[in-house]
Amino acid sequence: MRDIILTLIVFGSLPFILRNAYIGVLVWSWLSYMNPHRFTWGFAYSFPFAQIVAVALLVATLFSKEKKSLPITGLTVFWILFILWMGFTTLFALHPDSALAQLIKVVKIQLIIFFTLMLIHKKEQVIALLWVIVGSIGFFGIKGGLFTILTAGAFRVWGPPGSFIEDNNELAVALLMLLPLIYFLKTQVTNIWAQRGLILAMLLCGLSVFASYSRGAFLTIGVMSLYLLLKTKNKVIILTLLFIGGFLVLSFLPTQWHERIDTIQNYQQDASAMGRINAWTYSVNVANDRLTGGGFNSWSRITFQIYAPNPNDVHAAHSIYFGVLGDHGWIGLLLFLIILLLAWRTGVWVRKNARGIEELKWAYDFAYYFQISMVAYCTGGAFLSLAYFDFPWHLFAIILIVKRITQEQLEDLKQEQRYRASPNAPQSSLATSSKIR
């Protein structure tokens, strides 16, 4: 029955996608983040729903008469350069066949995200995409939170199988990135029950983060809390809430959770931590030896025999920074860091230019919560292999879209002010004109 329902939903969406291409971005995002086919047991489990939606999206985009434009900014320029560099490093990869397969996967993700940049132009479309992302990833946080309550935190919470966030650690960081977006959506709804539902979703997702038993997520929570304290004006309130919430959660979680977190202090004796350090050293060595790095999926026993201090301890990078360094060399890491910096600066620009303008309060708020999500990604990502995960890249696209909408609305407000200030403008309307502060 689940297979049939999912098939009807996906194929039923195709006419709407062909009529309005941006709906394809929403459907593809739902399939990508939630992986609903993994909840089936029949033919739908391995059916290529995402590819079918992507083809429909491509056709709809080609034939659509709606405005399609890609913002040309420093961020998009370095973004494209990074994709081209990944293609170049694949030509010289240590494992060419495996690297090519991964490149194709990454390019498919990036292509859909560029469709997002081209097709979404309105605030309502941005909000709709955020609801899809929050609902898709948040589903696992809510489910995990309820599971944690029922089991008193005795078991770890895991993500959807076959996805970027299948592992407990990756899911935890994805949920930490999601929490600010859930709160942003709360600011956009007026229904009291919807607001309460979103607050409850935040609490359950937060509980799932703790119940993931992820030490990297625990450290990320500390950094996010510090950032909030530095940025908020209500420091006493935030500090009180963090203290009370932390005390309640830590009191609720079982002994094995505390024992797991305590190993942070003795990382030299932890095999997982030492495996990460061995992999990070491997990435530095391969980047020093090869301009293009090892290429995608170079982390193998053969390459570790050459570049790793401990050739028998083969691990993936478990770090967005060392992962990119090992895959694409120092040039690739530099491009990646520039992208992160420019995405952050885009958020700064939106906050600076939207501040104090009622029509753009939503953009100002989103940029603020986007930056909190970036803090979670840049901190938690230091311990996880999430460099090519579509969620952060989708957020980079959304902040660019929000910047474009902000620029357009600022120009409209300026034109309105010029008109109101002109001698021919009705004097009765002059006092009600919008102000840009």
Side-chain angles (χ1 to χ4, degrees):
M1 180 59 72
R2 293 184 183 185
D3 300 73
I4 296 174
I5 293 174
L6 178 60
T7 303
L8 289 175
I9 292 174
V10 174
F11 280 89
S13 71
L14 297 182
F16 296 95
I17 295 172
L18 295 173
R19 189 182 309 159
N20 194 337
Y22 111 90
I23 294 177
V25 174
L26 303 183
V27 177
W28 183 90
S29 299
W30 171 58
L31 293 171
S32 176
Y33 292 120
M34 190 174 180
N35 288 266
H37 54 290
R38 299 303 185 188
F39 293 95
T40 65
W41 296 286
F43 68 90
Y45 188 87
S46 56
F47 198 81
F49 290 113
Q51 289 89 327
I52 291 172
V53 170
V55 170
L57 173 59
L58 175 61
V59 172
T61 303
L62 291 174
F63 290 96
S64 172
K65 295 181 180 180
E66 295 181 9
K67 180 175 70 173
K68 297 181 285 291
S69 61
L70 185 68
I72 304 302
T73 67
L75 176 53
T76 52
V77 168
F78 278 98
W79 194 335
I80 293 171
L81 287 175
F82 183 54
I83 295 172
L84 293 175
W85 181 253
M86 287 191 289
F88 183 72
T89 62
T90 301
L91 296 175
F92 303 94
L94 293 171
H95 300 307
D97 293 339
S98 180
L100 179 60
Q102 180 66 12
L103 174 67
I104 293 172
K105 179 181 178 181
V106 170
V107 169
K108 285 180 179 178
I109 292 173
Q110 295 291 339
L111 183 62
I112 299 297
I113 293 173
F114 274 87
F115 276 128
T116 302
L117 275 170
M118 290 189 294
L119 296 172
I120 293 184
H121 302 278
K122 302 176 183 177
K123 170 190 172 182
E124 295 75 17
Q125 294 173 330
V126 171
I127 299 298
L129 178 57
L130 288 173
W131 272 109
V132 170
I133 295 174
V134 165
S136 300
I137 300 177
F139 169 81
F140 299 99
I142 294 170
K143 183 169 70 74
L146 294 173
F147 173 75
T148 301
I149 293 173
L150 293 174
T151 61
F155 302 95
R156 297 186 188 185
V157 174
W158 301 86
S163 70
F164 276 104
I165 55 175
E166 177 179 6
D167 185 74
N168 61 312
N169 299 288
E170 277 80 1
L171 175 64
V173 171
L175 290 174
L176 286 173
M177 293 173 60
L178 198 73
L179 287 175
L181 303 182
I182 299 176
Y183 194 84
F184 168 73
L185 289 179
K186 175 189 171 294
T187 67
Q188 299 302 302
V189 297
T190 56
N191 183 280
I192 186 65
W193 290 106
Q195 293 178 347
R196 290 173 178 174
L198 288 168
I199 291 295
L200 178 60
M202 287 186 66
L203 294 174
L204 291 173
C205 287
L207 189 57
S208 285
V209 172
F210 281 97
S212 69
Y213 285 64
S214 173
R215 293 167 295 183
F218 185 76
L219 294 173
T220 303
I221 291 171
V223 175
M224 291 177 69
S225 301
L226 179 61
Y227 179 81
L228 282 172
L229 286 173
L230 292 174
K231 288 296 181 180
T232 186
K233 295 179 181 178
N234 303 314
K235 290 181 171 56
V236 175
I237 296 176
I238 294 296
L239 190 61
T240 302
L241 291 175
L242 288 173
F243 178 79
I244 295 174
F247 176 78
L248 292 175
V249 171
L250 296 179
S251 300
F252 171 76
L253 292 169
T255 304
Q256 60 261 37
W257 183 90
H258 292 273
E259 292 174 348
R260 170 73 173 171
I261 299 302
D262 285 343
T263 60
I264 293 176
Q265 304 177 52
N266 303 306
Y267 70 90
Q268 300 94 334
Q269 302 172 17
D270 184 78
S272 177
M274 296 310 296
R276 278 180 167 84
I277 294 174
N278 188 58
W280 295 350
T281 306
Y282 159 84
S283 68
V284 172
N285 291 341
V286 73
N288 287 339
D289 186 56
R290 297 167 55 87
L291 178 67
T292 58
F296 285 115
N297 293 338
S298 69
W299 313 74
S300 68
R301 186 168 298 278
I302 296 174
T303 55
F304 268 58
Q305 291 287 336
I306 304 172
Y307 295 110
N310 183 353
N312 298 316
D313 190 7
V314 181
H315 281 271
H318 292 299
S319 167
I320 56 176
Y321 309 110
F322 288 104
V324 171
L325 177 63
D327 288 346
H328 311 297
W330 291 106
I331 294 176
L333 177 60
L334 178 62
L335 291 171
F336 182 67
L337 292 176
I338 291 174
I339 290 170
L340 294 177
L341 176 62
L342 291 177
W344 180 271
R345 292 296 304 168
T346 302
V348 171
W349 186 96
V350 172
R351 293 188 66 197
K352 178 181 177 181
N353 288 274
R355 180 181 286 112
I357 304 174
E358 186 61 30
E359 295 90 337
L360 290 171
K361 186 178 184 304
W362 74 274
Y364 177 88
D365 290 343
F366 174 76
Y368 174 70
Y369 294 114
F370 161 78
Q371 289 182 316
I372 299 175
S373 288
M374 275 206 70
V375 170
Y377 178 64
C378 293
T379 305
F383 310 100
L384 300 170
S385 300
L386 288 175
Y388 315 112
F389 180 30
D390 29 2
F391 185 19
W393 295 95
H394 235 146
L395 288 181
F396 301 161
I398 293 172
I399 194 63
L400 278 173
I401 295 167
V402 172
K403 178 182 179 181
R404 179 171 57 193
I405 295 173
T406 301
Q407 289 173 323
E408 293 172 352
Q409 204 153 354
L410 285 172
E411 185 59 34
D412 290 343
L413 290 171
K414 288 179 181 178
Q415 289 181 4
E416 183 180 350
Q417 279 193 328
R418 286 194 291 266
Y419 171 73
R420 300 292 185 185
S422 67
N424 298 325
Q427 293 301 310
S428 61
S429 302
L430 186 59
T432 61
S433 62
S434 299
K435 296 180 180 180
I436 301 179
R437 300 191 291 275

